[in-house]
């Protein structure tokens, strides 16, 4: 994907959709993803909003990633984390604030829809190859620094977030494990189609 306007469009739209899916998984109240549970836990323990903690932890991870790789920080990642933080607060505080999750069936439906939407959004946001969400950058940093496989690095970063989320009272539950095992396949489900669409639009954008 070479067209800058198209790349920016995919990036923004992907993040908006992804954060909607993340917010749905939080709202389902069956247990959030490890990093999201950490943000929710810190909100309850310290204050601020979930989106504020997304930004704070994102900036911290951006600096940590640079230290691990002994490189300059990827300052453009601040844009990524700002968009994610602002949009999560938008969805949770303005759009979903009055949505009621009554009954396990509704909660599970909401959770799985959230995972699918999250996967769809991620498959879009990754197309332009802009700066990664620092959480994803953390996984990449550990993989490159310690010569780990992607699976091991991902498991390690999720495990770190899981332990800290538990320690701050984050919403860890069955949903946490469902997200862990289903988010990757959800991304892979949409990625081939989105890649073809991105290639087509990139070739015909000026037409």
């Amino acid at each position: 994907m070479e067209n800058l306007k198209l790349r920016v469009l995919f990036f923004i739209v992907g993040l908006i959709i992804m954060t909607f899916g993340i917010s749905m998984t939080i709202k389902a109240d069956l247990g959030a993803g490890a990093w999201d549970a950490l943000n929710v836990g810190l909100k309850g323990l310290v204050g601020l909003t979930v989106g504020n903690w997304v930004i704070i932890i994102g900036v911290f991870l951006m600096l940590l990633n640079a230290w691990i790789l002994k490189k300059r920080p990827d300052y453009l990642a601040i844009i990524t984390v700002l968009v994610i933080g602002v949009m999560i607060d938008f969805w949770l505080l303005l759009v979903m604030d009055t949505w009621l999750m009554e009954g396990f069936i509704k909660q599970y439906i909401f959770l799985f829809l959230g995972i699918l939407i999250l996967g769809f959004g991620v498959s879009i946001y990754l197309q332009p190859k802009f700066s990664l969400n620092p959480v994803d950058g953390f996984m990449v940093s550990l993989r490159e620094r310690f010569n780990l496989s992607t699976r091991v690095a991902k498991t390690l970063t999720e495990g770190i977030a899981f332990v800290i989320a538990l320690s701050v009272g984050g919403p860890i539950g069955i949903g946490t494990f469902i997200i862990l095992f289903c988010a990757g396949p959800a991304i892979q489900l949409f990625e081939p189609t989105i890649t073809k669409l991105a290639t087509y639009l990139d070739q015909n954008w000026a037409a």
Side-chain angles (χ1 to χ4, degrees):
M1 184 180 287
E2 298 180 359
N3 187 293
L4 181 58
K5 291 182 180 179
L6 185 62
R7 292 175 70 198
V8 171
L9 177 63
F10 265 67
F11 179 72
I12 297 298
V13 170
L15 289 181
I16 290 172
I17 295 173
M18 180 187 77
T19 53
F20 184 71
I22 290 173
S23 301
M24 288 181 70
T25 63
I26 294 173
K27 191 69 177 180
D29 199 26
L30 289 169
W35 289 100
D36 301 316
L38 172 57
N39 295 322
V40 175
L42 287 170
K43 171 184 177 294
L45 183 66
V46 181
L48 303 178
T49 66
V50 175
N52 289 156
W53 283 110
V54 168
I55 295 168
I56 292 169
I57 291 176
V59 172
F60 170 76
L61 288 176
M62 179 190 75
L63 298 175
L64 178 62
N65 295 339
W67 179 77
I68 291 172
L69 294 175
K70 301 186 186 305
K71 295 181 179 179
R72 293 177 61 183
D74 179 12
Y75 292 111
L76 290 177
I78 294 177
I79 298 174
T80 304
V81 79
L82 280 174
V83 174
I84 293 173
V86 169
M87 289 309 304
I88 284 180
D89 275 351
F90 172 76
W91 294 125
L92 287 177
L93 299 178
L94 296 180
V95 177
M96 301 183 187
D97 185 49
T98 59
W99 294 10
L100 299 177
M101 294 294 109
E102 297 179 346
F104 282 117
I105 293 177
K106 187 174 182 179
Q107 287 177 281
Y108 276 103
I109 290 173
F110 211 70
L111 175 67
F112 281 105
L113 281 176
I115 293 171
L116 285 173
I117 292 171
L118 183 161
F120 182 56
V122 171
S123 68
I124 296 173
Y125 126 79
L126 290 178
Q127 291 298 319
K129 294 181 173 59
F130 284 154
S131 294
L132 292 173
N133 175 2
V135 169
D136 299 322
F138 186 33
M139 177 197 70
V140 173
S141 297
L142 291 179
R143 184 187 67 191
E144 294 182 2
R145 178 68 175 81
F146 300 105
N147 195 29
L148 305 173
S149 68
T150 298
R151 178 176 297 179
V152 170
K154 179 66 172 176
T155 302
L156 183 59
T157 56
E158 290 294 319
I160 291 171
F162 181 89
V163 171
I164 301 175
L166 273 179
S167 70
V168 298
I172 297 294
I174 184 63
T176 306
F177 298 96
I178 293 174
I179 293 167
L180 176 63
F181 291 110
C182 294
I187 296 169
Q188 293 176 352
L189 174 66
F190 295 108
E191 192 170 27
T193 300
I194 297 300
T195 299
K196 290 179 182 178
L197 175 62
T199 302
Y200 174 80
L201 291 176
D202 196 35
Q203 294 173 345
N204 296 274
W205 184 264

